[in-house]
Amino acid sequence: MTVLQFAVQTTVGAARHGLLSLPQRGVEIATPAVVLYTRRGLPVHLTADLLRTLGPDARSLQVNPVHFLESPGPDIVQVAGSIHDLLSFHDYALFALTSDPLEFEAGGTTTKTSASFETPAGRRSVTISQYMEVINAMKPDVAASLTDEILATSSAKRTIKSVDRSLRWLDSCLDLRATGSLDLPIFGSIQGGGMIAERERSACETAKREVAGFHLGGFGRGETYEERSLLLQAAINHLPPEKPRHISGLGVPEDVLQGISAGVDLFDGSYAHRLTMGGFAMVFPPDEEEDDVAFRNGVHVALGSAVAAQNGQAKGNGVIGGMANGGGGGGRNESAQRYAAEVGEADADGATLVELKSHRGRERGRDGKKDKVGKGELPEEHGGVVSGAINLRSTAYRLDGRPILAGCECFSCRNHSRAYIHHLLNTSEMLAQVLLDIHNIHHYLRFFRATRRAISEMRFSEYCNWFLKRRLDCSNGRPASQKRFVMEECHSRQKYSEKASLLPLSVGTF
Amino acid sequence: MARRVKKETKKREKVERKQRKEEEQAAIEAANRAKELEQQRRLEKIHKQEEEREAMAKAVEVSVRMRFGSVDHRLKNIVREESQLLAKGKGKAPEAIASTYGTANESDLEVLARWNRARASLMMLPHFDCHTPMFMPVGTQGTVKGLTTTQLEELGCQVILGNTYHLENRPGSDLIYQMGGLHKFMNWRRGMLTDSGGFQMVSLLQLAEITEEGVTFQSPVDGTRMLLTPEASIQIQNKIGADIIMALDDVVSSTVTGPRVEEAMHRTLRWIDRCIKGRDGEDTFLGFVWDLVEYAIGGVSGGEAKEAFWRVVEQCTAALPENKPRYVMGVGYPLDILVCSALGADMYDCVYPTRTARFGTALIPEGVLKLKLAAMATDLRPIDPTCDCMFTEKMRNSIIDGSFPEFVRDFLKKQFPAGDVPQWVCNALAAAGIQV
């Protein structure tokens, strides 16, 4: 018997802090929360013991049903008993959700009866009965209905068709669930692309069904930041407040804050995974309180590195590249400099900011690769710092003995230096991704915890303002979400179709 | 008249023959004398070298915190004999076995318990006190593939290996030195051993050029050339700062037989001399490998080669002093570890467990479990329900509590349920005083 309880505890405007409980698992998820990304049910780089060290916030995982169509197929999951048994994740909340922002490719051959997915075993068409067969075998804690994913830029005709199909498939899912022995909570998938009317219709119709919660599909697929607010509002206004809402496609912190502001409770965790795959580590300021701690530590380390550079030990590489001043120095406030010091940008007295040439830019030039975005739009990354994430592949970290982020309590930051992780990335050692994933997930969870605290203390809008301003500081005066920057590294192991590069870059922006 | 002439000619010939014979004799004698002189000179030279070496070793002993053992000539002879024997013999798939000793001060290896030749000891290294027999996982590039240092500690791992050649290539020993040594760079609190780079003569043979001076490797990463001499190997290892370092050895590829094996053995001995001269042990703990056997281990089924393998280990451990650790390099199959431990060896390293894990295979008491097999898809049992500690730890405990033969028999019963224990294993264990 699967029980899913949800209680909203505090609301600030549309934003809400709640508690999602799964008593049969002993799991309580404080929302807003992130549902961690997995491949075939496993957090890609973390073994079970490492996952546990990430604490109680890391107890909800997304398991993608299309990864269980074959090897292992539903028959094997059936033998194991359930997906919990197969993975030995008995005290984890497992959400069966097909949406995967990293694998989505527009233009799949979705038909009247089947949706098309990119799976580890290649592209597959999945019918509603196949889908429910997998779900029935998996017995997850929550499953989203099969849905017809489209782009925000899809035509009106295609959008309407997508909403109709998704509703029909939701009905089939609910019917098929009734025939199964499971009493599985189903999240109704809401579509509607970039059309406000369709978003409203999809939400209204889905809310009428017997669903335990909602999955907001089709976001981060071509809508602008402003459009997204309207689309979210259009859908969420018609959803009952007592049921949880999950969204996928919003991972960048600004986007997450936008989602929380609109009333979303659960987010997909692919952002952290994507950064890890690119060799990036999050260093954006997660919360106001800990910011000062980070600042204090950061200054000490920055001073240390400046001295080291003076001693000539580091020969330029030791001066760790942060962001460039970029001419906007006048607009920088004190906290900007603090942050700069934290990620290692400023020199000791802060009088001049060290500007290093873009390592990645140079590397690209050498490789003769062309950037996917126009040269003028490329953010000036220095030492691989882009919008609060540092690229540890950059040679700027060769001799950097500091942790990824001063004051961070994660295993990687407590035990290892940037230089070591740079070396691991450079030698393609598996441990690089393990350490990066630990840090990135830990940092991301910390960010979500800060948002929850801000809501429960009724100062969410202040928090948002503070956060956006600090992110602005650390991304050279330009809001990160406006940056058109495709993370090539992240997609280097995946197909990256031409269509994807035309996508608005909330897919590829960070 | 004619008869007289004939007679005289005959006489002359006789004299000439006699003279020739005498001349030949003299020449032979001269040659022999020269040979003897030569030999004497060579012997003198060797003695002189050895004296120098010992003098130097003694001199360093005073200044270095950790002392070195002196060369054991008996061992050298055994090594030489075995090597020649193998070079003449079938000589399949050679692999290096180095018997290390002189790793630590006499007082730093304490034999805690013994069962016949098998022994359980405590070895004190600067970073960690190790219990032997022990297996040392290979962390080629400053990381054991995929495992965090905490996970390694939880597994009970006491010493890990670093690979001198690979570490010099990336990130470079200078960088490691600047970062405070490999221990600090990778945040590993326990023991560390660096190999000399010699094994890469096998693993990167296509990219290596071996001369008397050293080995020139072509980097597999960017093609740059690096000359690794015995002296450079020691310098690099000093910068890396492991607890135990190794002398550069001339390791022969598995396909080579005959005189090359012998050449490698002699070159290794010469290189060891250069390593001793090249070390600077003032502030770095230097363990030292003294002798090295180029040794043939056949494939899994190479019964003959395995027979030779245990004999070499047996003779080395017999010849080595009791108070020094004995390290069998590159040995990693559980059966081999068992046999070597029964014969008195202490330390082992191999990529086998790490690599086989990446290929989807698990080691279990009954042998191996190939988890990629279709039959495993629906097998819900744990990999090994009896798994609670490491193989070497169980073995060590059995030596300490005196149940080592039972442990060996139990192990073999599980590995060879049909009782088809290979002959070489039986022979080796018989030599170790264990009847199978």
Side-chain angles (χ1 to χ4, degrees):
Chain A
M1 178 70 186
T2 314
V3 183
L4 187 74
Q5 296 161 349
F6 181 66
V8 177
Q9 292 172 334
T10 326
T11 52
V12 180
R16 53 204 213 151
H17 163 48
L19 197 66
L20 188 72
S21 324
L22 294 104
Q24 73 278 13
R25 301 268 161 236
V27 175
E28 290 198 332
I29 304 161
T31 63
V34 57
V35 182
L36 297 178
Y37 183 79
T38 68
R39 305 266 308 157
R40 287 188 170 121
L42 299 165
V44 188
H45 305 293
L46 301 184
T47 51
D49 58 329
L50 292 176
L51 185 63
R52 253 169 231 289
T53 62
L54 289 169
D57 285 352
R59 291 277 287 280
S60 49
L61 305 177
Q62 170 182 356
V63 285
N64 195 334
V66 301
H67 294 177
F68 293 91
L69 289 167
E70 55 186 289
S71 65
D75 48 334
I76 285 165
V77 181
Q78 195 90 54
V79 173
S82 72
I83 189 70
H84 287 91
D85 294 316
L86 186 72
L87 303 170
S88 287
F89 282 150
H90 294 282
D91 49 352
Y92 282 78
L94 302 183
F95 293 78
L97 298 159
T98 53
S99 57
D100 185 342
L102 298 185
E103 289 284 4
F104 178 75
E105 259 185 289
T109 50
T110 301
T111 65
K112 221 184 283 182
T113 51
S114 66
S116 176
F117 294 100
E118 202 63 58
T119 77
R123 203 152 183 70
R124 284 281 302 257
S125 275
V126 184
T127 63
I128 183 75
S129 58
Q130 278 174 328
Y131 181 73
M132 285 313 280
E133 188 199 346
V134 175
I135 294 289
N136 278 326
M138 287 168 74
K139 305 184 187 67
D141 296 304
V142 177
S145 62
L146 191 70
T147 182
D148 180 14
E149 291 271 354
I150 53 163
L151 296 172
T153 49
S154 297
S155 68
K157 191 180 163 195
R158 179 74 184 87
T159 308
I160 292 166
K161 199 192 262 176
S162 150
V163 172
D164 289 340
R165 268 182 197 161
S166 296
L167 286 170
R168 205 164 53 239
W169 288 349
L170 171 60
D171 289 335
S172 309
C173 278
L174 292 169
D175 290 347
L176 284 166
R177 178 187 68 164
T179 61
S181 54
L182 277 178
D183 185 19
L184 179 72
I186 298 256
F187 276 15
S189 293
I190 296 168
Q191 293 294 333
M195 294 171 70
I196 288 181
E198 283 306 301
R199 284 277 169 196
E200 281 177 338
R201 180 169 75 95
S202 184
C204 284
E205 287 298 318
T206 309
K208 284 180 197 161
R209 267 74 169 178
E210 258 187 74
V211 291
F214 303 93
H215 167 67
L216 293 153
F219 280 98
R221 302 254 162 90
E223 73 282 7
T224 64
Y225 191 79
E226 291 72 27
E227 282 164 1
R228 190 186 300 141
S229 281
L230 299 173
L231 292 168
L232 281 169
Q233 223 178 350
I236 289 174
N237 277 346
H238 295 92
L239 300 180
E242 69 278 7
K243 287 179 182 174
R245 302 139 186 179
H246 174 276
I247 198 164
S248 59
L250 302 191
V252 182
E254 281 82 356
D255 293 350
V256 170
L257 289 180
Q258 185 184 29
I260 294 173
S261 307
V264 177
D265 305 301
L266 299 164
F267 291 81
D268 92 82
S270 60
Y271 176 64
H273 174 68
R274 199 173 58 184
L275 287 187
T276 298
M277 292 311 290
F280 286 82
M282 295 182 200
V283 292
F284 59 79
D287 52 44
E288 296 130 300
E289 268 177 40
E290 289 166 56
D291 197 24
D292 277 343
V293 179
F295 160 66
R296 278 199 303 275
N297 293 333
V299 165
H300 286 306
V301 193
L303 278 169
S305 100
V307 172
Q310 277 169 5
N311 290 344
Q313 285 178 359
K315 290 178 194 165
N317 274 332
V319 184
I320 302 314
M323 302 70 57
N325 192 356
R332 282 171 171 272
N333 57 14
E334 197 191 345
S335 82
Q337 291 192 2
R338 281 181 179 190
Y339 184 70
E342 182 192 330
V343 298
E345 169 197 35
D347 65 2
D349 55 13
T352 52
L353 294 167
V354 181
E355 191 170 336
L356 291 177
K357 292 215 166 176
S358 159
H359 287 278
R360 258 165 86 245
R362 264 191 281 153
E363 275 162 23
R364 273 194 196 135
R366 203 167 52 218
D367 297 346
K369 279 185 206 161
K370 277 196 179 166
D371 206 328
K372 287 221 163 102
V373 285
K375 209 185 170 189
E377 284 177 300
L378 242 189
E380 293 167 20
E381 332 100 57
H382 298 278
V385 180
V386 185
S387 304
I390 57 174
N391 184 355
L392 286 163
R393 282 190 200 277
S394 165
T395 50
Y397 301 108
R398 265 185 82 238
L399 280 160
D400 194 337
R402 292 172 294 162
I404 294 168
L405 181 61
C408 178
E409 290 289 309
C410 80
F411 175 85
S412 310
C413 289
R414 277 188 287 111
N415 291 290
H416 297 290
S417 63
R418 295 172 179 186
Y420 182 58
I421 297 170
H422 169 79
H423 162 68
L424 295 175
L425 284 168
N426 193 29
T427 48
S428 308
E429 281 285 353
M430 297 151 85
L431 191 59
Q433 279 77 37
V434 174
L435 296 179
L436 280 175
D437 230 19
I438 291 174
H439 172 78
N440 284 337
I441 293 175
H442 177 269
H443 196 80
Y444 208 39
L445 293 172
R446 205 170 137 188
F447 164 67
F448 275 92
R449 198 164 58 237
T451 63
R452 289 198 295 272
R453 196 166 56 226
I455 296 170
S456 65
E457 290 170 4
M458 306 299 276
R459 50 174 183 82
F460 182 63
S461 58
E462 288 89 336
Y463 174 81
C464 284
N465 288 336
W466 169 83
F467 186 86
L468 296 175
K469 192 160 159 293
R470 295 283 274 108
R471 285 273 286 185
L472 221 68
D473 292 340
C474 69
S475 56
N476 194 18
R478 282 177 294 181
S481 54
Q482 283 178 16
K483 284 192 173 179
R484 296 292 156 112
F485 176 68
V486 180
M487 285 177 58
E488 276 181 52
E489 299 89 337
C490 298
H491 296 279
S492 60
R493 295 189 190 178
Q494 295 168 13
K495 264 187 274 171
Y496 201 81
S497 69
E498 281 178 27
K499 275 176 192 139
S501 69
L502 297 174
L503 284 182
L505 296 167
S506 37
V507 172
T509 306
F510 75 112
Chain B
M1 181 68 190
R3 203 179 288 158
R4 200 169 344 135
V5 171
K6 217 177 182 179
K7 216 175 179 180
E8 272 177 15
T9 318
K10 239 181 186 173
K11 220 176 182 178
R12 228 183 0 256
E13 274 177 3
K14 211 176 178 181
V15 172
E16 274 170 13
R17 254 208 311 278
K18 209 178 171 187
Q19 277 174 347
R20 257 206 308 278
K21 225 177 195 173
E22 276 168 6
E23 273 167 20
E24 272 170 17
Q25 199 96 37
I28 287 166
E29 273 168 18
N32 280 346
R33 264 200 306 281
K35 232 184 230 171
E36 271 169 22
L37 267 170
E38 173 99 352
Q39 213 157 11
Q40 215 174 330
R41 234 176 285 138
R42 211 191 299 153
L43 276 171
E44 273 170 14
K45 203 176 159 193
I46 288 168
H47 280 304
K48 210 177 157 192
Q49 273 178 0
E50 275 163 4
E51 273 166 20
E52 271 174 14
R53 189 164 53 216
E54 274 169 18
M56 189 177 296
K58 267 180 198 150
V60 178
E61 266 171 26
V62 183
S63 60
V64 179
R65 189 160 58 87
M66 289 299 170
R67 274 175 40 191
F68 302 89
S70 52
V71 179
D72 187 319
H73 303 295
R74 238 175 91 209
L75 175 74
K76 240 182 184 178
N77 291 335
I78 291 167
V79 167
R80 201 165 282 150
E81 277 163 25
E82 282 298 332
S83 172
Q84 280 161 2
L85 195 125
L86 285 163
K88 274 182 229 147
K90 309 238 159 103
K92 288 169 204 158
E95 213 162 88
I97 297 177
S99 302
T100 313
Y101 80 90
T103 301
N105 198 323
E106 275 94 313
S107 62
D108 282 337
L109 184 90
E110 194 189 327
V111 178
L112 300 175
R114 246 180 250 281
W115 196 94
N116 205 355
R117 296 180 65 164
R119 56 201 216 153
S121 358
L122 181 67
M123 181 170 67
M124 263 104 62
L125 295 176
H127 283 90
F128 197 68
D129 295 347
C130 313
H131 289 271
T132 68
M134 69 168 165
F135 177 77
M136 306 178 288
V138 181
T140 306
Q141 309 192 98
T143 157
V144 175
K145 300 239 182 282
L147 292 180
T148 66
T149 46
T150 309
Q151 285 174 323
L152 285 171
E153 282 178 16
E154 281 164 7
L155 285 170
C157 161
Q158 309 180 75
V159 174
I160 61 166
L161 254 72
N163 228 288
T164 296
Y165 171 70
H166 289 295
L167 286 168
E168 176 63 8
N169 229 347
R170 292 181 304 187
S173 57
D174 286 334
L175 187 140
I176 294 177
Y177 186 71
Q178 269 187 34
M179 301 302 294
L182 189 55
H183 273 100
K184 196 164 169 247
F185 185 54
M186 65 176 290
N187 190 31
W188 174 244
R189 288 179 280 268
R190 297 189 176 180
M192 177 128 38
L193 184 150
T194 41
D195 86 327
S196 60
F199 181 69
Q200 272 61 49
M201 286 177 224
V202 174
S203 63
L204 300 174
L205 184 66
Q206 303 295 316
L207 304 170
E209 198 181 296
I210 304 156
T211 58
E212 187 57 35
E213 193 191 358
V215 204
T216 309
F217 289 108
Q218 198 179 354
S219 162
V221 185
D222 59 5
T224 51
R225 295 171 84 79
M226 187 221 292
L227 174 68
L228 192 68
T229 61
E231 294 83 0
S233 172
I234 296 297
Q235 277 163 14
I236 293 166
Q237 293 184 73
N238 277 340
K239 283 185 194 155
I240 294 169
D243 297 81
I244 305 170
I245 69 173
M246 306 285 289
L248 187 67
D249 44 350
D250 184 4
V251 185
V252 194
S253 153
S254 54
T255 49
V256 174
T257 53
R260 175 70 183 97
V261 180
E262 207 173 335
E263 185 203 359
M265 200 268 309
H266 290 297
R267 182 172 288 155
T268 297
L269 294 178
R270 287 194 297 273
W271 281 3
I272 286 169
D273 293 342
R274 285 169 58 189
C275 283
I276 298 163
K277 285 177 189 155
R279 76 194 165 191
D280 88 72
E282 286 301 328
D283 51 3
T284 316
F285 167 72
L286 268 181
F288 221 76
V289 61
W290 281 108
D291 275 291
L292 187 131
V293 190
E294 307 314 316
Y295 183 69
I297 301 176
V300 197
S301 58
E304 251 185 289
K306 284 282 192 189
E307 193 68 41
F309 159 68
W310 79 259
R311 281 185 200 284
V312 168
V313 175
E314 193 264 326
Q315 292 189 43
C316 286
T317 53
L320 288 165
E322 279 292 311
N323 53 14
K324 303 285 184 189
R326 297 132 180 201
Y327 170 25
V328 189
M329 287 181 86
V331 162
Y333 293 120
L335 184 63
D336 295 355
I337 292 180
L338 182 90
V339 168
C340 293
S341 297
L343 294 168
D346 303 310
M347 300 153 73
Y348 311 91
D349 84 280
C350 194
V351 294
Y352 176 63
T354 320
R355 177 173 297 163
T356 207
R358 279 183 287 134
F359 293 165
T361 305
L363 302 179
I364 54 168
E366 290 78 21
V368 294
L369 196 65
K370 291 185 176 161
L371 293 161
K372 282 188 175 175
L373 295 180
M376 298 295 153
T378 52
D379 192 333
L380 301 173
R381 291 171 295 173
I383 291 173
D384 173 12
T386 63
C387 176
D388 51 357
C389 62
M390 288 169 86
F391 167 70
T392 50
E393 198 177 317
K394 286 179 185 170
M395 184 162 71
R396 184 161 62 236
N397 291 339
S398 75
I399 295 173
I400 290 171
D401 64 26
S403 61
F404 185 60
E406 287 76 33
F407 175 83
V408 170
R409 280 191 281 270
D410 183 52
F411 176 86
L412 293 174
K413 204 169 141 190
K414 279 178 185 156
Q415 293 261 328
F416 306 99
D420 51 345
V421 181
Q423 192 55 43
W424 72 271
V425 178
C426 298
N427 294 347
L429 291 174
I434 298 166
Q435 295 308 317
V436 179

